[in-house]
């Protein structure tokens, strides 16, 4: 009986070919779905567990295995479509070509993920920042996707890829025009890497593009710079070849950061030191040796003047600004935050309308920003506070308080001086 019923069903299906085609198509789609479910739920999950056990779970983030698993249902559809009875040849060709194009696209995306994995593994190397390969891998990706595009188009139109490639010669000029930015960026990436211009982690400064911060990514087309305000500036890679920029890597590698700042002194406060002032300055431990040697040098000089040395204008004398300059230099020599093996200068610059600049030029023994600013502020805090001990003043433009005090002094009533009348008797007697 079951055999007779099965025979009857088959005869009935033979009498309805469209229904037979519909059921076969549904069975093919169901087979593709089942194969997709089995691959992703069993094989892929099992493979992921194996990778986690082997501590290589980073591969999962790029989706390479998931993309490759999509090939299985496409293969089932492409292979089984020929077995569907009554399906037009055109429909079979379309399904087969679409599945073939999908397989090519899936393989290309999976290979792109493999390149991302290669870049990730390379970045774990200690020299990855010096010689990044992300730009080169992006060039390989572009070539890979270009080839995949040609293969997909050739598969969809059911033609040989050589036919499409033969027409690319005439389109070379157009392609160069379209990809000119990519070609320029590729050349710039090669020059940047070969000449070691920038690395990930370098502090670069490019004022014309409002970029001032650390390089966080070097790609084919752009270089990302995280500014100090935590904003991110994307700079075309070719601009690092065509435009000027400042790389602070040399400072960071040297171990010292420069301090170059001036104290503007009031020139009216500059004078020679008298005996009382020199005696008071001997209290400074840093100046004792300087004052003794300077006094000996001046005495020997003045002794050669003989009688002309009796006039102060002909003699050499110690000045308060010279003594202060010597004190600043010795103070920096003894400061624990100043790098002693780098240039250290205390010098006068040309006088200006804002005072006499006394420039401090030295380097800190750290390149950390916060520590550098703390050391610099500590130095100038001390120098500004110690200035009155040398009889010097810092120059500053008159402010509201200064003008008010001056006006009060001008408007203050002065004591009257009574005139004494001349003695008329003496005047007449004379």
């Amino acid at each position: 009986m079951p055999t007779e019923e099965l025979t009857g069903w088959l005869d009935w299906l033979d009498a309805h070919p469209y229904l037979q085609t519909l059921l076969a198509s549904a069975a093919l789609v169901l087979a593709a779905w089942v194969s997709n479910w089995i691959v992703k739920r069993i094989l892929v999950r099992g493979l992921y567990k194996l990778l986690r056990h082997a501590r290589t779970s980073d591969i999962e983030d790029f989706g390479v295995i998931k993309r490759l698993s999509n090939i299985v249902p496409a293969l089932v559809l492409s292979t089984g479509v020929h077995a569907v009875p009554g399906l037009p040849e055109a429909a079979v060709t379309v399904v087969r070509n679409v599945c073939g194009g999908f397989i090519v696209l899936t393989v290309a995306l999976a290979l792109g993920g493999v390149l991302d994995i290669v870049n990730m593994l390379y970045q774990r190397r200690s020299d990855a920042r010096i010689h990044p390969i992300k730009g080169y891998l992006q060039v390989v990706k572009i070539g890979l996707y270009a080839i995949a595009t040609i293969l997909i188009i050739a598969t969809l139109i059911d033609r040989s890829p050589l036919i499409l490639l033969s027409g690319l010669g005439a389109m070379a000029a157009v392609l160069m025009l379209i990809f000119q930015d990519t070609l320029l960026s590729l050349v710039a990436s090669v020059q940047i890497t070969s000449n070691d211009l920038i690395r990930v982690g370098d502090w670069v400064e490019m004022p014309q593009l409002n970029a001032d911060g650390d390089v966080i990514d070097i790609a084919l087309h752009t270089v990302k710079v995280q500014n100090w305000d935590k904003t991110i500036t994307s700079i075309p890679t070719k601009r690092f070849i065509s435009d000027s920029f400042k790389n602070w890597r040399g400072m960071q590698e040297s171990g010292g950061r420069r301090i170059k700042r001036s104290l503007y002194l009031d020139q009216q406060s500059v004078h020679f030191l008298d005996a009382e002032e020199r005696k008071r300055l001997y209290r400074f431990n840093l100046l004792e040796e300087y004052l003794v040697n300077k006094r000996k040098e001046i005495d020997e000089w003045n002794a050669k003047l003989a009688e002309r040395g009796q006039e102060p204008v002909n003699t050499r004398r110690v000045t308060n600004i010279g003594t202060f300059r010597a004190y600043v230099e010795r103070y920096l020599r003894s400061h624990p935050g100043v790098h002693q093996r780098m240039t250290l200068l205390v010098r006068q610059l040309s006088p200006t309308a804002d005072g006499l600049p006394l420039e401090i030029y030295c380097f800190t023994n750290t390149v950390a920003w916060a520590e550098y600013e703390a050391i610099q502020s500590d130095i100038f805090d001390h120098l500004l506070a110690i200035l009155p001990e040398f009889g010097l003043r810092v120059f500053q433009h008159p402010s509201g308080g200064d003008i008010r005090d001056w006006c009060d002094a001008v408007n203050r009533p002065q004591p009257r001086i009574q005139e004494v009348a001349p003695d008329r008797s003496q005047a007449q007697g004379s």
Side-chain angles (χ1 to χ4, degrees):
M1 188 66 181
T3 303
E4 295 178 356
E5 291 181 358
L6 180 60
T7 304
W9 275 104
L10 293 176
D11 294 338
W12 183 80
L13 286 176
D14 290 336
H16 299 82
Y18 293 104
L19 183 60
Q20 186 178 6
T21 301
L22 180 62
L23 291 176
S25 300
L28 180 62
V29 172
L30 179 62
W33 180 84
V34 171
S35 64
N36 181 66
W37 184 86
I38 293 175
V39 170
K40 290 187 176 180
R41 294 297 181 89
I42 300 177
L43 297 180
V44 173
R45 285 188 178 182
L47 184 57
Y48 278 160
K49 290 182 180 180
L50 181 62
L51 292 175
R52 292 191 188 99
H53 182 71
R55 297 181 180 180
T56 57
S57 58
D58 293 336
I59 301 177
E60 179 182 353
D61 298 335
F62 297 96
V64 176
I65 300 176
K66 285 185 177 180
R67 289 194 176 100
L68 291 177
S69 65
N70 293 326
I71 298 177
V72 176
L75 288 175
V76 172
L77 290 175
S78 177
T79 305
V81 70
H82 297 282
V84 177
L87 195 65
E89 186 64 26
V92 174
T93 303
V94 169
V95 172
R96 188 183 69 248
N97 292 346
V98 171
C99 291
F102 177 77
I103 292 173
V104 173
L105 176 62
T106 302
V107 172
L109 294 176
L111 292 177
V114 172
L115 293 177
D116 292 335
I117 295 174
V118 172
N119 182 59
M120 178 198 67
L121 296 177
Y122 181 80
Q123 287 180 346
R124 296 177 179 178
R125 294 166 54 100
S126 59
D127 58 343
R129 290 187 174 184
I130 302 176
H131 303 290
I133 63 171
K134 186 174 182 179
Y136 301 114
L137 293 179
Q138 287 182 331
V139 174
V140 175
K141 272 189 177 182
I142 292 175
L144 176 65
Y145 293 155
I147 296 174
T149 302
I150 295 174
L151 293 177
I152 290 173
I153 295 175
T155 303
L156 292 176
I157 64 176
D158 200 14
R159 292 292 184 273
S160 173
L162 297 177
I163 299 177
L164 296 176
L165 291 175
S166 62
L168 292 179
M171 298 177 60
V174 178
L175 292 176
M176 291 184 64
L177 181 62
I178 295 175
F179 294 104
Q180 60 175 340
D181 291 336
T182 300
L183 296 176
L184 291 175
S185 299
L186 174 60
V187 174
S189 298
V190 173
Q191 292 182 351
I192 287 174
T193 304
S194 60
N195 297 325
D196 197 16
L197 297 181
I198 56 174
R199 306 174 187 170
V200 174
D202 282 355
W203 171 14
V204 298
E205 186 177 350
M206 191 176 283
Q208 62 270 28
L209 297 179
N210 296 322
D212 185 11
D214 292 333
V215 177
I216 60 175
D217 184 52
I218 301 176
L220 177 62
H221 294 93
T222 59
V223 174
K224 292 183 180 180
V225 176
Q226 186 174 40
N227 302 309
W228 301 124
D229 58 358
K230 300 307 178 183
T231 59
I232 296 178
T233 302
S234 295
I235 305 173
T237 307
K238 60 184 179 182
R239 295 294 294 270
F240 284 91
I241 302 300
S242 60
D243 296 357
S244 62
F245 68 95
K246 181 185 290 186
N247 192 335
W248 291 81
R249 187 202 310 160
M251 178 272 295
Q252 294 173 332
E253 293 179 348
S254 68
R257 185 172 177 181
R258 186 184 67 176
I259 295 176
K260 185 183 180 184
R261 184 182 291 184
S262 298
L263 285 171
Y264 286 84
L265 305 178
D266 189 347
Q267 300 175 70
Q268 296 181 358
S269 65
V270 178
H271 61 270
F272 292 109
L273 295 176
D274 56 26
E276 183 63 27
E277 289 176 320
R278 290 198 303 270
K279 182 180 179 181
R280 189 175 68 251
L281 291 177
Y282 271 103
R283 298 179 294 116
F284 288 81
N285 183 50
L286 296 175
L287 285 176
E288 183 176 359
E289 182 181 358
Y290 166 78
L291 291 174
V292 171
N293 294 334
K294 198 68 176 178
R295 185 62 184 174
K296 181 179 179 181
E297 176 188 343
I298 291 177
D299 289 343
E300 292 177 355
W301 173 274
N302 294 336
K304 298 177 182 179
L305 298 177
E307 294 182 358
R308 291 182 176 272
Q310 301 300 323
E311 290 291 336
V313 294
N314 295 328
T315 60
R316 287 179 58 188
R317 286 173 285 176
V318 182
T319 62
N320 61 343
I321 189 171
T323 306
F324 178 69
R325 181 165 49 84
Y327 172 80
V328 174
E329 182 178 352
R330 283 158 177 76
Y331 174 75
L332 295 176
R333 295 288 183 189
S334 61
H335 197 287
V338 176
H339 205 302
Q340 302 300 325
R341 292 190 298 274
M342 292 187 176
T343 305
L344 194 155
L345 293 174
V346 181
R347 59 176 183 170
Q348 290 184 25
L349 303 181
S350 299
T352 67
D354 295 328
L356 177 63
L358 186 69
E359 185 182 76
I360 286 83
Y361 191 104
C362 62
F363 291 81
T364 62
N365 56 12
T366 178
V367 298
W369 189 7
E371 297 177 10
Y372 162 78
E373 294 293 347
I375 294 172
Q376 182 174 229
S377 300
D378 178 71
I379 291 173
F380 281 88
D381 289 347
H382 176 78
L383 297 182
L384 290 171
I386 205 70
L387 265 176
E389 294 285 343
F390 296 84
L392 292 169
R393 297 189 302 271
V394 178
F395 180 87
Q396 64 181 17
H397 292 284
S399 62
D402 298 327
I403 297 175
R404 184 178 63 251
D405 295 341
W406 180 80
C407 292
D408 292 342
V410 171
N411 297 328
R412 186 180 300 116
Q414 301 294 329
R416 294 183 178 180
I417 301 176
Q418 297 181 355
E419 296 182 357
V420 180
D423 190 349
R424 295 182 179 274
S425 61
Q426 293 181 359
Q428 293 176 355
S430 60

